[in-house]
PDB file of all heavy atoms in Angstrom:
ATOM      1  N   LEU E  88       6.799  19.285  -8.848  1.00  0.00           N
ATOM      2  CA  LEU E  88       6.830  20.309  -7.805  1.00  0.00           C
ATOM      3  C   LEU E  88       6.081  19.873  -6.551  1.00  0.00           C
ATOM      4  O   LEU E  88       6.563  20.058  -5.423  1.00  0.00           O
ATOM      5  CB  LEU E  88       6.225  21.608  -8.352  1.00  0.00           C
ATOM      6  CG  LEU E  88       6.183  22.808  -7.401  1.00  0.00           C
ATOM      7  CD1 LEU E  88       7.600  23.256  -7.060  1.00  0.00           C
ATOM      8  CD2 LEU E  88       5.394  23.954  -8.017  1.00  0.00           C
ATOM      9  N   ARG E  89       4.916  19.276  -6.725  1.00  0.00           N
ATOM     10  CA  ARG E  89       4.050  18.945  -5.587  1.00  0.00           C
ATOM     11  C   ARG E  89       4.240  17.532  -5.054  1.00  0.00           C
ATOM     12  O   ARG E  89       4.009  17.268  -3.870  1.00  0.00           O
ATOM     13  CB  ARG E  89       2.585  19.139  -5.989  1.00  0.00           C
ATOM     14  CG  ARG E  89       2.204  20.594  -6.187  1.00  0.00           C
ATOM     15  CD  ARG E  89       0.908  20.733  -6.963  1.00  0.00           C
ATOM     16  NE  ARG E  89      -0.155  19.874  -6.451  1.00  0.00           N
ATOM     17  CZ  ARG E  89      -1.309  19.653  -7.082  1.00  0.00           C
ATOM     18  NH1 ARG E  89      -1.530  20.228  -8.261  1.00  0.00           N
ATOM     19  NH2 ARG E  89      -2.233  18.871  -6.567  1.00  0.00           N
ATOM     20  N   GLY E  90       4.621  16.602  -5.930  1.00  0.00           N
ATOM     21  CA  GLY E  90       4.733  15.206  -5.525  1.00  0.00           C
ATOM     22  C   GLY E  90       6.138  14.861  -5.067  1.00  0.00           C
ATOM     23  O   GLY E  90       7.002  15.715  -4.904  1.00  0.00           O
ATOM     24  N   ARG E  91       6.379  13.561  -4.886  1.00  0.00           N
ATOM     25  CA  ARG E  91       7.701  13.109  -4.451  1.00  0.00           C
ATOM     26  C   ARG E  91       7.828  11.606  -4.673  1.00  0.00           C
ATOM     27  O   ARG E  91       6.818  10.883  -4.727  1.00  0.00           O
ATOM     28  CB  ARG E  91       7.924  13.408  -2.967  1.00  0.00           C
ATOM     29  CG  ARG E  91       6.940  12.708  -2.044  1.00  0.00           C
ATOM     30  CD  ARG E  91       7.007  13.242  -0.622  1.00  0.00           C
ATOM     31  NE  ARG E  91       5.962  12.672   0.205  1.00  0.00           N
ATOM     32  CZ  ARG E  91       6.107  11.608   0.993  1.00  0.00           C
ATOM     33  NH1 ARG E  91       7.290  11.011   1.080  1.00  0.00           N
ATOM     34  NH2 ARG E  91       5.098  11.156   1.711  1.00  0.00           N
ATOM     35  N   ALA E  92       9.069  11.168  -4.823  1.00  0.00           N
ATOM     36  CA  ALA E  92       9.341   9.737  -4.765  1.00  0.00           C
ATOM     37  C   ALA E  92       9.224   9.308  -3.309  1.00  0.00           C
ATOM     38  O   ALA E  92       9.668  10.024  -2.399  1.00  0.00           O
ATOM     39  CB  ALA E  92      10.735   9.442  -5.295  1.00  0.00           C
ATOM     40  N   LEU E  93       8.603   8.169  -3.064  1.00  0.00           N
ATOM     41  CA  LEU E  93       8.418   7.711  -1.699  1.00  0.00           C
ATOM     42  C   LEU E  93       9.730   7.193  -1.116  1.00  0.00           C
ATOM     43  O   LEU E  93      10.621   6.754  -1.850  1.00  0.00           O
ATOM     44  CB  LEU E  93       7.345   6.629  -1.654  1.00  0.00           C
ATOM     45  CG  LEU E  93       5.917   7.164  -1.837  1.00  0.00           C
ATOM     46  CD1 LEU E  93       4.924   6.026  -1.970  1.00  0.00           C
ATOM     47  CD2 LEU E  93       5.526   8.068  -0.671  1.00  0.00           C
ATOM     48  N   PRO E  94       9.863   7.242   0.203  1.00  0.00           N
ATOM     49  CA  PRO E  94      11.119   6.802   0.838  1.00  0.00           C
ATOM     50  C   PRO E  94      11.490   5.375   0.445  1.00  0.00           C
ATOM     51  O   PRO E  94      10.665   4.469   0.507  1.00  0.00           O
ATOM     52  CB  PRO E  94      10.781   6.894   2.336  1.00  0.00           C
ATOM     53  CG  PRO E  94       9.730   7.955   2.429  1.00  0.00           C
ATOM     54  CD  PRO E  94       8.895   7.778   1.177  1.00  0.00           C
ATOM     55  N   GLY E  95      12.723   5.220   0.023  1.00  0.00           N
ATOM     56  CA  GLY E  95      13.234   3.906  -0.338  1.00  0.00           C
ATOM     57  C   GLY E  95      12.960   3.487  -1.763  1.00  0.00           C
ATOM     58  O   GLY E  95      13.553   2.501  -2.239  1.00  0.00           O
ATOM     59  N   ALA E  96      12.089   4.195  -2.466  1.00  0.00           N
ATOM     60  CA  ALA E  96      11.698   3.757  -3.809  1.00  0.00           C
ATOM     61  C   ALA E  96      12.886   3.729  -4.759  1.00  0.00           C
ATOM     62  O   ALA E  96      13.107   2.752  -5.486  1.00  0.00           O
ATOM     63  CB  ALA E  96      10.599   4.663  -4.360  1.00  0.00           C
ATOM     64  N   ARG E  97      13.654   4.802  -4.790  1.00  0.00           N
ATOM     65  CA  ARG E  97      14.792   4.877  -5.709  1.00  0.00           C
ATOM     66  C   ARG E  97      15.811   3.780  -5.391  1.00  0.00           C
ATOM     67  O   ARG E  97      16.341   3.108  -6.283  1.00  0.00           O
ATOM     68  CB  ARG E  97      15.454   6.254  -5.614  1.00  0.00           C
ATOM     69  CG  ARG E  97      16.460   6.543  -6.704  1.00  0.00           C
ATOM     70  CD  ARG E  97      17.067   7.937  -6.518  1.00  0.00           C
ATOM     71  NE  ARG E  97      16.059   8.936  -6.239  1.00  0.00           N
ATOM     72  CZ  ARG E  97      15.314   9.545  -7.159  1.00  0.00           C
ATOM     73  NH1 ARG E  97      15.479   9.225  -8.430  1.00  0.00           N
ATOM     74  NH2 ARG E  97      14.430  10.459  -6.813  1.00  0.00           N
ATOM     75  N   GLU E  98      16.072   3.587  -4.111  1.00  0.00           N
ATOM     76  CA  GLU E  98      17.056   2.590  -3.696  1.00  0.00           C
ATOM     77  C   GLU E  98      16.568   1.168  -3.992  1.00  0.00           C
ATOM     78  O   GLU E  98      17.343   0.305  -4.422  1.00  0.00           O
ATOM     79  CB  GLU E  98      17.364   2.753  -2.211  1.00  0.00           C
ATOM     80  CG  GLU E  98      18.062   4.052  -1.843  1.00  0.00           C
ATOM     81  CD  GLU E  98      17.139   5.265  -1.778  1.00  0.00           C
ATOM     82  OE1 GLU E  98      15.895   5.088  -1.868  1.00  0.00           O
ATOM     83  OE2 GLU E  98      17.651   6.384  -1.634  1.00  0.00           O
ATOM     84  N   ALA E  99      15.280   0.928  -3.767  1.00  0.00           N
ATOM     85  CA  ALA E  99      14.721  -0.399  -4.041  1.00  0.00           C
ATOM     86  C   ALA E  99      14.773  -0.712  -5.530  1.00  0.00           C
ATOM     87  O   ALA E  99      15.169  -1.816  -5.939  1.00  0.00           O
ATOM     88  CB  ALA E  99      13.289  -0.481  -3.528  1.00  0.00           C
ATOM     89  N   LEU E 100      14.381   0.252  -6.364  1.00  0.00           N
ATOM     90  CA  LEU E 100      14.440   0.038  -7.811  1.00  0.00           C
ATOM     91  C   LEU E 100      15.878  -0.200  -8.273  1.00  0.00           C
ATOM     92  O   LEU E 100      16.142  -1.060  -9.118  1.00  0.00           O
ATOM     93  CB  LEU E 100      13.852   1.235  -8.545  1.00  0.00           C
ATOM     94  CG  LEU E 100      12.340   1.453  -8.431  1.00  0.00           C
ATOM     95  CD1 LEU E 100      11.944   2.744  -9.135  1.00  0.00           C
ATOM     96  CD2 LEU E 100      11.567   0.279  -9.006  1.00  0.00           C
ATOM     97  N   GLY E 101      16.795   0.563  -7.717  1.00  0.00           N
ATOM     98  CA  GLY E 101      18.192   0.396  -8.084  1.00  0.00           C
ATOM     99  C   GLY E 101      18.739  -0.964  -7.691  1.00  0.00           C
ATOM    100  O   GLY E 101      19.504  -1.582  -8.446  1.00  0.00           O
ATOM    101  N   ALA E 102      18.339  -1.451  -6.517  1.00  0.00           N
ATOM    102  CA  ALA E 102      18.823  -2.748  -6.044  1.00  0.00           C
ATOM    103  C   ALA E 102      18.303  -3.874  -6.924  1.00  0.00           C
ATOM    104  O   ALA E 102      19.043  -4.807  -7.273  1.00  0.00           O
ATOM    105  CB  ALA E 102      18.404  -2.964  -4.595  1.00  0.00           C
ATOM    106  N   VAL E 103      17.026  -3.811  -7.302  1.00  0.00           N
ATOM    107  CA  VAL E 103      16.467  -4.854  -8.164  1.00  0.00           C
ATOM    108  C   VAL E 103      17.096  -4.788  -9.551  1.00  0.00           C
ATOM    109  O   VAL E 103      17.418  -5.818 -10.150  1.00  0.00           O
ATOM    110  CB  VAL E 103      14.934  -4.732  -8.244  1.00  0.00           C
ATOM    111  CG1 VAL E 103      14.363  -5.726  -9.249  1.00  0.00           C
ATOM    112  CG2 VAL E 103      14.310  -4.957  -6.869  1.00  0.00           C
ATOM    113  N   ALA E 104      17.291  -3.585 -10.070  1.00  0.00           N
ATOM    114  CA  ALA E 104      17.897  -3.430 -11.393  1.00  0.00           C
ATOM    115  C   ALA E 104      19.315  -4.003 -11.436  1.00  0.00           C
ATOM    116  O   ALA E 104      19.757  -4.503 -12.472  1.00  0.00           O
ATOM    117  CB  ALA E 104      17.915  -1.960 -11.794  1.00  0.00           C
ATOM    118  N   ALA E 105      20.016  -3.943 -10.294  1.00  0.00           N
ATOM    119  CA  ALA E 105      21.402  -4.417 -10.248  1.00  0.00           C
ATOM    120  C   ALA E 105      21.515  -5.903  -9.945  1.00  0.00           C
ATOM    121  O   ALA E 105      22.616  -6.461 -10.046  1.00  0.00           O
ATOM    122  CB  ALA E 105      22.168  -3.620  -9.194  1.00  0.00           C
ATOM    123  N   GLU E 106      20.411  -6.540  -9.589  1.00  0.00           N
ATOM    124  CA  GLU E 106      20.443  -7.948  -9.193  1.00  0.00           C
ATOM    125  C   GLU E 106      20.468  -8.858 -10.426  1.00  0.00           C
ATOM    126  O   GLU E 106      19.553  -8.811 -11.255  1.00  0.00           O
ATOM    127  CB  GLU E 106      19.218  -8.275  -8.347  1.00  0.00           C
ATOM    128  CG  GLU E 106      19.214  -9.663  -7.758  1.00  0.00           C
ATOM    129  CD  GLU E 106      20.141  -9.833  -6.571  1.00  0.00           C
ATOM    130  OE1 GLU E 106      20.710  -8.818  -6.102  1.00  0.00           O
ATOM    131  OE2 GLU E 106      20.287 -10.981  -6.109  1.00  0.00           O
ATOM    132  N   PRO E 107      21.474  -9.701 -10.570  1.00  0.00           N
ATOM    133  CA  PRO E 107      21.529 -10.611 -11.729  1.00  0.00           C
ATOM    134  C   PRO E 107      20.285 -11.499 -11.793  1.00  0.00           C
ATOM    135  O   PRO E 107      19.863 -12.070 -10.790  1.00  0.00           O
ATOM    136  CB  PRO E 107      22.784 -11.442 -11.456  1.00  0.00           C
ATOM    137  CG  PRO E 107      23.629 -10.580 -10.571  1.00  0.00           C
ATOM    138  CD  PRO E 107      22.658  -9.830  -9.709  1.00  0.00           C
ATOM    139  N   GLY E 108      19.689 -11.581 -12.976  1.00  0.00           N
ATOM    140  CA  GLY E 108      18.538 -12.450 -13.180  1.00  0.00           C
ATOM    141  C   GLY E 108      17.198 -11.807 -12.938  1.00  0.00           C
ATOM    142  O   GLY E 108      16.170 -12.326 -13.378  1.00  0.00           O
ATOM    143  N   MET E 109      17.163 -10.686 -12.225  1.00  0.00           N
ATOM    144  CA  MET E 109      15.887 -10.037 -11.954  1.00  0.00           C
ATOM    145  C   MET E 109      15.576  -9.015 -13.040  1.00  0.00           C
ATOM    146  O   MET E 109      16.441  -8.233 -13.438  1.00  0.00           O
ATOM    147  CB  MET E 109      15.883  -9.356 -10.586  1.00  0.00           C
ATOM    148  CG  MET E 109      15.875 -10.320  -9.423  1.00  0.00           C
ATOM    149  SD  MET E 109      15.579  -9.475  -7.838  1.00  0.00           S
ATOM    150  CE  MET E 109      15.854 -10.844  -6.704  1.00  0.00           C
TER     151      MET E 109
END
Side-chain angles (χ1 to χ4, degrees):
L88 181 65
R89 290 163 48 191
R91 62 192 173 95
L93 286 172
R97 192 180 314 278
E98 294 78 8
L100 291 176
V103 174
E106 186 76 7
M109 290 190 187

